[in-house]
Amino acid sequence: MDELVRKNIRDLKAYSCARNEFSGKQASVFIDANENPYNYPYNRYPDPLQQELKALIAPLKDVKPSQIFLGNGSDEAIDLLFRIFCEPKQDNVVAICPTYGMYEVCADINDVEYRPVLLDEAYQMNADKLLSACDAHTKVIFLCSPNNPSGNNLDRKEIEKVLESFKGVVVVDEAYSDFSTQKPFRLELDKYPRLVVLNTFSKAWGCAAIRLGMAFANEDVIYYFNKVKYPYNVNLLTQQKAIEVLTNDQQKMHQRINMILDERQTVMEAFSQLPICQKVYPSDANFFLAKVDDANLTYNYLVDKGIIVRNRNSVALCNGCLRITVGTKEENTQLLSALRQFH
């Protein structure tokens, strides 16, 4: 792992948080961090390593607390991967195409070459094709499964082939895995030491507003995440809300997932019967991709009706496609009713 990491990051002397310096000791008087002594608990800096929260996540995700990084959304973990492993203007990353747009945005921000590799017409990847795009300066491969915007799981055997063949870091973004029946790759961390799996509180947990992303990886990778991240990257309010949700809402979360899956099936079947619909693609996520006669016209019509979907018409392999998130029964009925009146 050290050989993959940028030299300046290997040599970096990380910022030392006041809260880290007495770790393992008990204290009742805190006059070390220049905090205001009033307005407890919001006057205090939060736990920089979110230990209480990680202790709740670990058994739920079947990983060790030491294999967890928590960030300000998954986007923080994505950005850190570039900052840890990729030398600007020198290294590159490879990713499937189409996929989640932040991989490329972070590459551009960090001045790292981004090499997209087209999926096939069924939105499946070919491991050999992906690996052939790599060279000695390829540090990271990004895979998203279930993929966004296509909604489908990538072929597990092809992912495994990449994991077994590529000598750099392989990222499998499983933001939508709670809506899928495929075995999560986070359960394979011990088998693949260079694997990083992303997850989030935004989707299945319904907590997009608190901006809490997760990365699961070998302890050596987590070490570098914690070394490079900003000291107090997850605020107290986010930590408190996540702890509350994990403690009280697990049953509710599973009920909501089942409701979304039931609605997904219903809406996809109804959408496929619309006169404007050419094709509805299979989905393993909480959304689906649909090809329509005129995506731009349909999108603008729905906007005028106060209904917002995602127009993916300009995305590679998604010509004529809209991405539809599964809403409540009432929202889905509104969508379908509006489209039945569309001519």
Side-chain angles (χ1 to χ4, degrees), residues 320-340:
C321 289
L322 301 175
R323 194 191 70 192
I324 316 291
T325 305
V326 179
T328 63
K329 188 180 289 289
E330 293 74 22
E331 289 170 333
N332 299 331
T333 299
Q334 227 179 315
L335 167 72
L336 293 167
S337 177
L339 289 175
R340 289 185 182 114

Side-chain angles (χ1 to χ4, degrees), residues 125-132 134-135 138 141 143 157-170 191-194:
M125 61 171 272
N126 178 285
D128 291 333
K129 187 177 176 184
L130 201 72
L131 292 166
S132 69
C134 301
D135 61 21
T138 306
I141 291 177
L143 307 174
K157 290 183 178 178
E158 294 297 298
I159 296 177
E160 289 171 346
K161 187 172 183 180
V162 172
L163 285 165
E164 290 159 5
S165 303
F166 183 58
K167 302 307 180 186
V169 175
V170 179
K191 184 177 180 180
Y192 301 112
R194 295 183 304 279

Side-chain angles (χ1 to χ4, degrees), residues 142-196:
F142 284 96
L143 307 174
C144 186
S145 182
N147 190 28
N148 175 12
S150 56
N152 61 299
N153 285 320
L154 299 178
D155 187 305
R156 189 177 188 85
K157 290 183 178 178
E158 294 297 298
I159 296 177
E160 289 171 346
K161 187 172 183 180
V162 172
L163 285 165
E164 290 159 5
S165 303
F166 183 58
K167 302 307 180 186
V169 175
V170 179
V171 180
V172 181
D173 190 339
E174 294 186 335
Y176 303 97
S177 62
D178 293 292
F179 304 99
S180 167
T181 57
Q182 181 165 274
K183 179 184 176 184
F185 271 93
R186 70 170 182 274
L187 304 179
E188 308 280 359
L189 294 180
D190 292 336
K191 184 177 180 180
Y192 301 112
R194 295 183 304 279
L195 168 65
V196 176

Side-chain angles (χ1 to χ4, degrees), residues 11 14 34 58 91 93 125 142 152 156-157 176 178 237-238 254 256 259 262 266 270 310 317 321 338-339:
D11 298 342
N34 299 340
D91 292 327
V93 301
M125 61 171 272
F142 284 96
N152 61 299
R156 189 177 188 85
K157 290 183 178 178
Y176 303 97
D178 293 292
L237 295 172
T238 291
H254 290 297
R256 287 172 174 168
M259 290 166 61
D262 288 344
T266 300
R310 198 74 191 270
L317 300 180
C321 289
L339 289 175

Side-chain angles (χ1 to χ4, degrees), residues 149-309:
S150 56
N152 61 299
N153 285 320
L154 299 178
D155 187 305
R156 189 177 188 85
K157 290 183 178 178
E158 294 297 298
I159 296 177
E160 289 171 346
K161 187 172 183 180
V162 172
L163 285 165
E164 290 159 5
S165 303
F166 183 58
K167 302 307 180 186
V169 175
V170 179
V171 180
V172 181
D173 190 339
E174 294 186 335
Y176 303 97
S177 62
D178 293 292
F179 304 99
S180 167
T181 57
Q182 181 165 274
K183 179 184 176 184
F185 271 93
R186 70 170 182 274
L187 304 179
E188 308 280 359
L189 294 180
D190 292 336
K191 184 177 180 180
Y192 301 112
R194 295 183 304 279
L195 168 65
V196 176
V197 176
L198 303 180
N199 207 218
T200 178
F201 273 75
S202 296
K203 313 304 178 185
W205 288 97
C207 288
I210 72 171
R211 306 309 302 130
L212 185 61
M214 296 170 273
F216 308 113
N218 178 286
E219 286 89 343
D220 291 340
V221 179
I222 299 300
Y223 165 78
Y224 282 109
F225 271 120
N226 289 331
K227 188 178 186 181
V228 176
K229 77 175 182 70
Y230 291 122
Y232 305 104
N233 62 321
V234 179
N235 70 69
L236 177 64
L237 295 172
T238 291
Q239 292 187 46
Q240 287 178 329
K241 184 60 181 178
I243 289 168
E244 175 191 325
V245 166
L246 288 168
T247 304
N248 301 322
D249 290 357
Q250 287 194 39
Q251 184 176 356
K252 188 184 297 183
M253 183 267 285
H254 290 297
Q255 290 172 344
R256 287 172 174 168
I257 287 175
N258 289 332
M259 290 166 61
I260 289 170
L261 293 177
D262 288 344
E263 277 297 294
R264 183 182 75 187
Q265 183 67 24
T266 300
V267 178
M268 288 174 67
E269 289 176 0
F271 204 97
S272 67
Q273 300 302 314
L274 294 170
I276 62 164
C277 181
Q278 297 181 17
K279 181 173 184 177
V280 173
Y281 292 90
S283 175
D284 299 289
N286 67 330
F287 62 88
F288 63 92
L289 193 69
K291 189 177 183 68
V292 297
D293 290 341
D294 190 325
N296 292 338
L297 192 65
T298 306
Y299 173 80
N300 291 329
Y301 166 79
L302 289 172
V303 169
D304 289 340
K305 294 287 185 179
I307 300 169
I308 311 301
V309 299

Side-chain angles (χ1 to χ4, degrees), residues 5-40:
V5 173
R6 293 168 58 189
K7 183 181 183 302
N8 68 304
I9 300 300
R10 286 199 309 271
D11 298 342
L12 176 70
K13 183 174 173 27
Y15 178 79
S16 178
C17 298
R19 291 297 178 264
N20 279 342
E21 291 174 356
F22 74 95
S23 182
K25 307 288 186 181
Q26 294 297 317
S28 58
V29 177
F30 295 95
I31 49 176
D32 61 328
N34 299 340
E35 299 155 323
N36 189 316
Y38 307 107
N39 194 36
Y40 181 81

